[in-house]
């Protein structure tokens, strides 16, 4: 159980770093399809290398199907999210995106029959509270406050729905097939946007490839560790989804804010520090 929790926490760090990558990509206004193409192409090489190293059969119909579905959902989610980051800062956009963990948690409770005791319930509520507290105080320069009529709200709602479905699929991937899943997910998503790249004749902007390398490494690590944590916790506990998702994705919020302050020089408000403290409280509850 402890090893599974530590792996989930490591996934949260990787996902928090991915938030910084998305933040940079959004603020620099890189072409969404070009950004996705390079990042997913690099992630494909990670999955291929590990699959070959482990001697896994490269043809797996089940993983191909899951990889294709996840690819489409991801492209919609990341495109919507990058558009949203042009409207507001890392806290608000990244918070709402990761609130979508409520979808896989609900599936875990209803479909997988996960059990929710008092400590785990408090931990989940603490994660939601941390994300809400952090996000409610984050507004980018020039952003509108138009509620559901704002551009930000519509983009982030679409990202919320598709990202939640993407996270849910991880629960259906066996840990032993995780390298194959990442191979198909990253490979198929890069192929989907490759056609769009044919119409982009210019060379990649300065810094894009390095940013995509960092994004691919953090995303690939986050996905692989989340699947592994779900498998490990699931073997010793009946509440794998209730425990792992709030840690691997929910705690990515305060971690992402801390990394944003360290790497992007973004100020952490008093509200954000409260959110970080709530995240720490949630981690203790989920680990009990």
């Amino acid at each position: 159980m402890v090893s599974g929790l530590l792996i989930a926490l490591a996934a949260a760090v990787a996902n928090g770093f991915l938030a910084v990558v998305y933040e940079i990509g959004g603020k620099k206004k890189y072409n969404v399809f070009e950004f996705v193409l390079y990042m997913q192409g690099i992630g494909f090489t990670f999955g291929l290398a590990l699959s070959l190293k482990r001697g896994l059969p490269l043809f797996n119909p089940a993983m191909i199907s899951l990889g294709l579905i996840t690819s489409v959902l991801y492209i919609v989610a990341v495109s919507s999210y990058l558009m949203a980051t042009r409207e507001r800062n890392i806290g608000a956009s990244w918070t709402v995106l990761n609130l979508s963990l409520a979808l896989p948690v609900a599936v875990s409770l209803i479909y997988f029959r996960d059990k929710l005791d008092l400590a785990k319930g408090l931990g989940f509520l603490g994660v939601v509270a941390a994300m809400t507290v952090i996000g409610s105080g984050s507004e980018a320069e020039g952003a509108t406050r138009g509620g559901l009529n704002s551009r930000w709200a519509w983009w982030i709602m679409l990202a919320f729905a598709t990202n939640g479905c993407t996270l849910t699929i991880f629960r259906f991937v066996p840990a032993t097939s995780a390298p194959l899943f990442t191979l198909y997910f990253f490979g198929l998503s890069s192929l989907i946007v490759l056609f769009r790249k044919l119409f982009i004749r210019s060379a990649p902007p300065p810094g894009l490839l390095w940013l995509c390398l960092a994004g691919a490494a953090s995303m690939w690590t986050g996905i692989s560790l989340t699947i592994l944590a779900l498998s490990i916790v699931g073997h010793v506990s009946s509440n794998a989804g209730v425990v792992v998702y709030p840690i691997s994705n929910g705690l990515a919020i305060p971690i992402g804010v801390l990394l944003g302050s360290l790497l992007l020089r973004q100020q952490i408000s008093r509200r954000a520090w409260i959110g970080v403290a709530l995240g720490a409280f949630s981690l203790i509850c989920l680990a009990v």
Side-chain angles (χ1 to χ4, degrees), residues 209-235:
L209 291 179
W210 286 110
L211 185 66
C212 289
L213 174 60
S218 55
M219 178 188 290
W220 188 89
T221 302
I223 291 174
S224 300
L225 292 180
T226 298
I227 293 173
L228 180 59
L230 285 168
S231 176
I232 292 176
V233 176
H235 279 93

Side-chain angles (χ1 to χ4, degrees), residues 126-127 129-130 133-134 251 254 258 270-284:
V127 168
V133 167
I134 292 172
L251 293 186
L258 291 174
R270 181 181 301 177
R271 183 189 298 269
W273 279 118
I274 294 175
V276 172
L278 285 171
F281 166 77
S282 302
L283 180 61
I284 295 174

Side-chain angles (χ1 to χ4, degrees), residues 2-15 222 225-226 228-230 233 243-249 251 255 283:
V2 175
S3 61
L5 295 176
L6 292 176
I7 291 173
L9 185 58
V13 175
N15 290 330
L225 292 180
T226 298
L228 180 59
L230 285 168
V233 176
V243 172
V244 173
Y245 282 118
I247 294 177
S248 63
N249 292 89
L251 293 186
I255 291 174
L283 180 61

